[in-house]
Amino acid sequence: AAPAPSPAPLPLPVPAQLPADLPDFTGRERALERIHAHLAGGGPVPVVAVSGMGGVGKTALALRAAHALADDHPDGRLYVDLRGAEAEPLDPAQALSNLLHALGADGAGVPDSLDARSALFRSMVAGRRVLLVLDGAASEAQVRPLLPGAPGATVLVTGRPRLTGLDGALLVDLEVFTPEQAVELLGRIAGRERVGREPAAAERIAELCGHAPLAVRIAGARLAGRPEWRLGRMVRLLEDERRRLDELAAGDRAVRASFALSHRALGEGAKRAFRLLGALEVPDFPEWAVAALMDVPTGEAQRYIEQLVDARLLSITEGPCGALRYRMHDLIRLYARELGESDESEEERREALRRAFGGWLWLAEQATEYIPGPCYATLHGQAMRWPLPAQEASEALAEPMLWFDAEWQAMAAAVQQAGALGMHEAAWDLAGCLEKYFDVRGRFDDWRRTHESAIAACRAAGDRLGEAVLRRGLADLTTWASPQGPGEAMSGMRSEAQSVLEMFRELGETRGVADALVMRTWGLVSRGEARSAHVSAEEALRIAEEADYLGGRARAYHVMAIAAYEDGRLEDAVACLEKALELARLLGNSRFEATAMQFLGAAQALSGRVETGRYHLVRSLDMARAMGDRYAEVFSLMYLTRLYIALGDEEALPTVEQAVALSRRHGINHHLADSLGLAGEIHLAAGRTGEAIASLEESVRLWRTRGWSSFLAAALETLAGAYEADGRHAAADRARREAQELQTPAQGAQEAF
């Protein structure tokens, strides 16, 4: 008996993104009472906006309130760092992309525009009891698109400015601690008995810290790390810093003075680590990144990191693969950067960054070989690599996908920073290494952003290889996973393929030439130029064979099958797909193997080998679901539907309904158009004319955006039949005439890959 399709994967876990509450949280009783009273008062969507100077404890207060409310929000606790204190705060569109991914949207299911993302977010949280913490807001304009619209949600916002433009929000303005609260916090960190033995000294420390929570916390951490010290010694240290004590008492500069105090207690190695970390603009980093910045062994870097952690100049978090990662608060990074610019030359800082970028690049170019994404030729540049010791590298790369899960945000930030600094080779090579990971995980926004940034850097530097490599990948993204206007998708692929082809030929990069020819072949097929497409595919195959390029051969056979099918040569298509599948297995690329198996199963079913075709389609469906590849999953569902239609199986309708739902949810317009056409065909055969017309009209509208004439012609022919059945003869004639105008002598059967 034929195997049945496997069940859909389990749903994502309920988001629980809140950072940990502080065990030594102190004071703020009145603020917490106001927050809880406001949130208990009902209303559409209760919002609390906490504001105050940097280091005053805004985030600590919001997280204390959020953890107290967590059990009342069983549908999710979401957290976003809006980075409002940085030069470039987080774009609300990117924040929404992260939230939508956390709630279950992925891939092309995330719309492009800010308004569409905001609307989808409101829809996804409507009727759900979710808690949203928006930390470090820059302005009301940054926050408004992120606000839910229906009861059940609760929002806590922090930011330096008072967000008075948030209608109906409770505004909580935080000031520094009272003297009593500052001493209490000092005691909780350094030890209550210890503080009790020297109360006057404790009060003086609190006073010298300006009663600012972050400054007091740093002083307490220093004392906790030196249990042999008396509190009087800390007082004397603070009083010796006359100018900094003056700054400590002067608003925001007080925080800088506290950072300076902690910094002075570090050893020379830790000080240099701190200065160099200030130059690195990434959200978090592993231990080896400090070793790379300093060009020292990781064990030595670990000692410096521990000193920075003890001084609370770094915080610790855990990555997806369990390894420790470190974060530097934005204000601390600014202070570290000031020191670096004062004490390190520009060239020393640039070389440190080159080594850090080189560490990510050295690891990423190994990890990406094990990611089952598109089998393009792997092309790298001459950017510096910073190799890790074999044991450390082996541990880091034990699970390549998990490694990318942990590192992609740091790498994406490194792409941006490297490009801005003119390190174009590091920028494009890092971006290229992220390509397969972004494809498999469906992080299309991040893929587009990193590639466009690195391409701009390459163009500024005249780096043709980097530009060609990234444009090759970006062409796939913009063709298959981006919304397009009338006829733009495939015409864009054709024009971009030609440009990339010329660049690779100019560079003498034969594997890149083979890839570009495959891209061009897709564009020719979409125009119904099957014979020209076949010639283009044969050229791609010849060049790939001459270059001993296995992936290029596999992709050439794949697209050659598409051209053969469009030319009405179904058996040739089957033969080409059998070769593509064989090569995919030799490559060990499970994603391309599933793709080749899908197309082969479809071709076999269409050629009458029903059971073999069914086996391959069901197997490819299993593989696609195991990888979380929605694009491939929908394709298998569509061709199972075609098979069920041919067999008169009642499973045809529920199967295509799955395909329609998945395509619509994830924004896969190509498959959505095809699935709707199949649904219309099923409804028409069952006499449900109204449902058939609705599905087919939407299918036709979508095909007009794809620029693929054979698909559009087939949909119009079926729609004409539906109009006839409904008695709309004039409309049927118009649809049929347009379909005939689109037909070409090279076009094969109506159904196509």
Side-chain angles (χ1 to χ4, degrees):
S6 63
L10 294 174
L12 291 173
V14 173
Q17 299 180 334
L18 296 180
D21 192 10
L22 290 175
D24 48 29
F25 182 86
T26 301
R28 308 305 191 195
E29 292 84 2
R30 176 55 185 153
L32 286 168
E33 288 173 5
R34 292 182 63 208
I35 290 172
H36 291 305
H38 179 73
L39 298 180
V45 178
V47 177
V48 173
V50 182
S51 61
M53 71 176 222
V56 79
K58 302 180 293 296
T59 299
L61 175 63
L63 290 178
R64 171 52 62 104
H67 280 282
L69 296 164
D71 290 343
D72 296 328
H73 297 81
D75 297 324
R77 282 79 64 193
L78 300 162
Y79 175 86
V80 181
D81 181 2
L82 296 177
R83 306 201 298 263
E86 296 185 10
E88 295 186 8
L90 184 67
D91 187 282
Q94 181 61 41
L96 283 165
S97 176
N98 295 341
L99 289 168
L100 291 169
H101 279 295
L103 291 167
D106 68 324
V110 178
D112 273 2
S113 74
L114 174 62
D115 289 345
R117 290 181 182 185
S118 184
L120 179 58
F121 175 67
R122 291 194 298 271
S123 297
M124 292 186 75
V125 299
R128 299 169 69 177
R129 295 194 58 78
V130 298
L131 175 65
L132 175 61
V133 177
L134 302 174
D135 195 17
S139 66
E140 292 91 334
Q142 187 189 30
V143 170
R144 285 195 190 96
L146 313 181
L147 297 179
T154 298
V155 182
L156 297 172
V157 187
T158 74
R160 294 186 184 182
R162 295 183 81 243
L163 302 179
T164 56
L166 295 181
D167 296 336
L170 172 67
L171 301 181
V172 178
D173 296 328
L174 285 192
E175 301 295 338
V176 297
F177 276 158
T178 65
E180 295 78 11
Q181 289 171 332
V183 171
E184 173 65 14
L185 176 59
L186 189 67
R188 291 189 178 189
I189 298 173
R192 285 191 173 89
E193 292 185 3
R194 189 176 178 190
V195 165
R197 289 194 297 268
E198 299 181 75
E203 291 176 4
R204 180 61 176 153
I205 290 171
E207 179 183 358
L208 291 170
C209 288
H211 306 126
L214 183 58
V216 174
R217 184 172 294 281
I218 293 173
R222 292 280 289 116
L223 288 168
R226 302 291 186 272
E228 68 279 4
W229 282 10
R230 293 178 59 85
L231 268 64
R233 176 170 180 147
M234 177 63 77
V235 170
R236 290 192 295 274
L237 288 172
L238 291 171
E239 288 179 337
D240 285 342
E241 301 292 337
R242 293 183 183 87
R243 291 183 58 187
R244 290 178 182 174
L245 288 175
D246 291 339
E247 293 173 353
L248 188 62
D252 284 346
R253 295 177 68 82
V255 176
R256 184 180 290 110
S258 295
F259 296 157
L261 175 63
S262 291
H263 177 262
R264 280 186 175 277
L266 298 174
E268 288 305 312
K271 285 182 177 180
R272 186 159 192 264
F274 184 63
R275 293 194 299 269
L276 294 177
L277 279 169
L280 186 63
E281 298 175 1
V282 298
D284 59 18
F285 51 88
E287 290 176 335
W288 65 256
V290 178
L293 286 167
M294 303 183 71
D295 201 18
V296 300
T298 304
E300 182 178 342
Q302 287 172 341
R303 294 195 295 273
Y304 304 145
I305 290 170
E306 287 303 311
Q307 292 181 49
L308 294 171
V309 170
D310 288 343
R312 296 295 182 99
L313 295 172
L314 288 181
S315 60
I316 306 176
T317 186
E318 186 174 317
C321 50
L324 294 180
R325 300 186 67 77
Y326 300 89
R327 295 178 182 270
M328 181 175 278
H329 186 277
D330 54 355
L331 292 177
I332 297 175
R333 181 181 288 112
L334 288 174
Y335 175 67
R337 188 176 304 161
E338 289 178 0
L339 293 179
E341 291 173 352
S342 171
D343 298 347
E344 306 281 342
S345 71
E346 180 179 356
E347 186 54 34
E348 286 172 331
R349 284 180 280 122
R350 288 180 65 88
E351 285 301 311
L353 289 173
R354 286 192 184 96
R355 289 191 295 270
F357 299 156
W360 270 298
L361 181 53
W362 185 80
L363 289 165
E365 65 183 349
Q366 298 175 70
T368 194
E369 294 299 321
Y370 299 95
I371 305 301
C375 51
Y376 282 133
T378 300
L379 300 173
H380 293 295
Q382 301 300 314
M384 175 190 290
R385 269 68 169 168
W386 194 83
L388 274 68
Q391 182 62 32
E392 292 178 30
S394 177
E395 292 174 1
L397 299 177
E399 295 287 345
M401 282 297 289
L402 288 179
W403 183 85
F404 271 111
D405 285 340
E407 300 292 352
W408 76 264
Q409 293 186 78
M411 289 176 64
V415 170
Q416 301 279 349
Q417 186 177 12
L421 292 172
M423 301 179 189
H424 54 94
E425 286 198 301
W428 77 254
D429 221 339
L430 283 167
C433 288
L434 283 164
E435 192 169 278
K436 290 200 292 186
Y437 171 78
F438 283 157
D439 194 8
V440 173
R441 283 288 191 247
R443 302 203 70 95
F444 299 140
D445 279 352
D446 302 299
W447 182 355
R448 182 182 296 105
R449 188 176 66 255
T450 53
H451 275 45
E452 288 177 347
S453 171
I455 287 171
C458 288
R459 285 174 173 164
D463 188 333
R464 301 281 282 173
L465 177 61
E467 181 181 352
V469 169
L470 297 190
R471 286 176 64 182
R472 177 188 62 180
L474 197 58
D476 261 0
L477 172 65
T478 54
T479 298
W480 305 111
S482 296
Q484 303 286 343
E488 288 182 1
M490 301 310 297
S491 63
M493 168 68 90
R494 290 194 301 273
S495 62
E496 188 66 359
Q498 189 61 40
S499 295
V500 172
L501 176 61
E502 292 169 2
M503 293 176 74
F504 278 130
R505 279 178 171 162
E506 171 192 324
L507 293 163
E509 179 46 72
T510 55
R511 293 174 301 162
V513 169
D515 288 337
L517 285 167
V518 169
M519 292 165 56
R520 188 181 71 176
T521 304
W522 279 104
L524 291 169
V525 169
S526 73
R527 298 176 62 179
E529 299 178 19
R531 298 298 170 85
S532 297
H534 184 77
V535 172
S536 181
E538 283 189 325
E539 185 181 0
L541 179 60
R542 176 182 59 78
I543 290 174
E545 288 176 339
E546 291 173 355
D548 195 22
Y549 173 23
L550 190 60
R553 291 169 59 199
R555 296 179 70 244
Y557 273 119
H558 180 208
V559 76
M560 192 178 293
I562 308 304
Y565 182 83
E566 285 287 310
D567 199 27
R569 297 179 288 109
L570 186 55
E571 288 304 319
D572 288 348
V574 171
C576 288
L577 288 167
E578 288 173 342
K579 286 187 174 292
L581 179 57
E582 177 186 347
L583 292 170
R585 286 170 173 160
L586 287 174
L587 276 170
N589 188 320
S590 57
R591 194 160 188 255
F592 190 75
E593 180 183 350
T595 299
M597 194 176 293
Q598 289 170 335
F599 281 81
L600 177 59
Q604 289 169 332
L606 291 171
S607 67
R609 283 168 265 183
V610 173
E611 290 307 315
T612 304
R614 188 204 303 264
Y615 169 80
H616 281 128
L617 287 170
V618 171
R619 177 70 182 124
S620 70
L621 181 61
D622 290 342
M623 293 176 71
R625 284 175 170 167
M627 290 183 288
D629 190 335
R630 302 306 186 197
Y631 193 94
E633 180 180 359
V634 175
F635 184 94
S636 295
L637 288 168
M638 288 191 307
Y639 274 89
L640 280 171
T641 300
R642 285 191 164 94
L643 183 59
Y644 292 147
I645 290 173
L647 298 174
D649 194 318
E650 292 182 354
E651 285 299 306
L653 184 58
T655 302
V656 81
E657 285 175 342
Q658 289 183 61
V660 169
L662 282 170
S663 298
R664 202 182 295 282
R665 178 181 177 187
H666 300 291
I668 309 172
N669 285 348
H670 192 96
H671 288 352
L672 178 58
D674 208 357
S675 301
L676 286 165
L678 290 171
E681 183 180 336
I682 294 168
H683 287 309
L684 181 59
R688 296 184 293 270
T689 308
E691 290 94 327
I693 290 173
S695 292
L696 290 163
E697 286 181 339
E698 185 178 359
S699 177
V700 166
R701 285 196 300 272
L702 288 168
W703 282 129
R704 294 191 193 283
T705 72
R706 306 309 301 163
W708 198 311
S709 57
S710 62
F711 280 99
L712 177 56
L716 284 164
E717 286 281 4
T718 311
L719 179 59
Y723 283 147
E724 288 284 7
D726 198 43
R728 298 165 60 180
H729 303 297
D733 288 342
R734 287 193 298 272
R736 194 169 288 114
R737 281 196 302 272
E738 184 181 355
Q740 290 169 352
E741 291 169 1
L742 289 166
Q743 298 288 342
T744 65
Q747 186 173 320
Q750 284 187 346
E751 291 175 351
F753 293 116

